[in-house]
Amino acid sequence: MADDPRPTVGERVEPLADQPVEAPVRASERVFEGKVWDIRRDAFEFGGEEIVREYVDHTGAVGVLAIDDADRVFLIKQYRHPVRMRDWEIPAGLLDVDGEHPLAAAQRELAEEADLEASDWAVLADVATSPGGSDEVIRIYVARDLSATASVFAREAEEADMQTRWVPLAEGVEAVLARRIHNAPLAIALLAADAARARGWQSLGEADAPWPNRAPTRQDPTAP
């Protein structure tokens, strides 16, 4: 009979946390260069063997859950071609500006997509969106003490068709639980904010908190 994996009474259990692993990368190449992001193929050592995997080589991203004094959140709805759907989302964008701090990127995205600015910023969650096939990580911020920007941003492409809405946080949580909305960063942001609010927002991180998993470390950074 296999050993019982359950801890015994009084046994110390480590807090639940992901574990960084340095798997030696023997080869890394970009096999497809796209308009927004690329596909990369790595050959790496793990468990005594060499493994080859392809994945989306992503810039990383930030998202913003803007909450007003009435506990309403600001949401946008826009067309997303891969899923053929106009889905509800939080303001978000790529970390594709060289040297731009993630917080500055989040502030820029909030202004560009919501015509809002905030004086109170904190980290709500860090999310690996699809770790089996993409190295994308997204940092989700909470923005409070909101005000309108001095000007309205000109939007284009899918964003030109964007709709906006203020939604009570509880209504957003209900939409997640009822499976009426499907965007992963939005769902995580709503559920995490609901839990954080119940704890008096004590779980929030500093807006400039280190982000060690923003991008993977490759042994061959010069790989094309």
Side-chain angles (χ1 to χ4, degrees):
M1 179 181 295
D3 293 337
D4 190 340
R6 294 174 295 181
T8 60
V9 175
E11 180 182 352
R12 185 176 182 272
V13 178
E14 292 293 330
L16 194 66
D18 293 337
Q19 177 186 8
V21 175
E22 292 293 338
V25 178
R26 298 309 182 196
S28 182
E29 62 176 326
R30 184 172 57 200
V31 294
F32 174 79
E33 183 175 0
K35 181 177 177 61
V36 179
W37 41 68
D38 306 330
I39 301 297
R40 180 165 290 276
R41 177 182 295 128
D42 284 357
F44 60 96
E45 289 186 12
F46 188 78
E49 63 177 315
E50 183 171 283
I51 300 173
V52 176
R53 292 289 183 267
E54 292 90 17
Y55 57 93
V56 176
D57 190 358
H58 201 282
T59 61
V62 290
V64 184
L65 187 69
I67 304 180
D68 69 7
D69 294 338
D71 281 344
R72 299 182 307 165
V73 297
F74 183 87
L75 305 184
I76 61 178
K77 184 166 72 172
Q78 62 177 312
Y79 178 65
R80 292 302 192 186
H81 186 71
V83 294
R84 309 298 198 274
M85 186 181 297
R86 286 188 176 90
D87 71 342
W88 286 105
E89 305 179 359
I90 54 176
L94 301 175
L95 290 170
D96 56 358
V97 177
D98 287 342
E100 185 177 39
H101 190 279
L103 176 58
Q107 293 168 334
R108 174 174 55 80
E109 291 296 340
L110 184 63
E112 292 180 358
E113 297 192 352
D115 301 316
L116 293 172
E117 56 189 13
S119 61
D120 185 354
W121 288 84
V123 174
L124 178 63
D126 292 332
V127 180
T129 56
S130 184
S134 172
D135 65 6
E136 179 188 16
V137 286
I138 177 170
R139 168 157 283 188
I140 301 175
Y141 292 88
V142 167
R144 295 176 290 183
D145 194 7
L146 304 166
S147 59
T149 55
S151 60
V152 176
F153 191 80
R155 300 176 179 91
E156 58 186 19
E158 295 97 333
E159 293 183 354
D161 189 46
M162 184 185 294
Q163 300 175 36
T164 65
R165 182 174 171 182
W166 285 98
V167 178
L169 178 57
E171 181 180 330
V173 170
E174 176 60 31
V176 173
L177 298 179
R179 301 177 300 284
R180 297 194 304 269
I181 56 178
H182 311 96
N183 181 272
L186 170 59
I188 291 170
L190 291 171
L191 296 176
D194 188 54
R197 181 180 61 171
R199 292 164 172 78
W201 302 107
Q202 295 302 307
S203 61
L204 299 180
E206 296 293 331
D208 59 352
W211 191 3
N213 64 338
R214 173 178 170 181
T217 299
R218 298 193 183 92
Q219 287 193 317
D220 183 11
T222 65

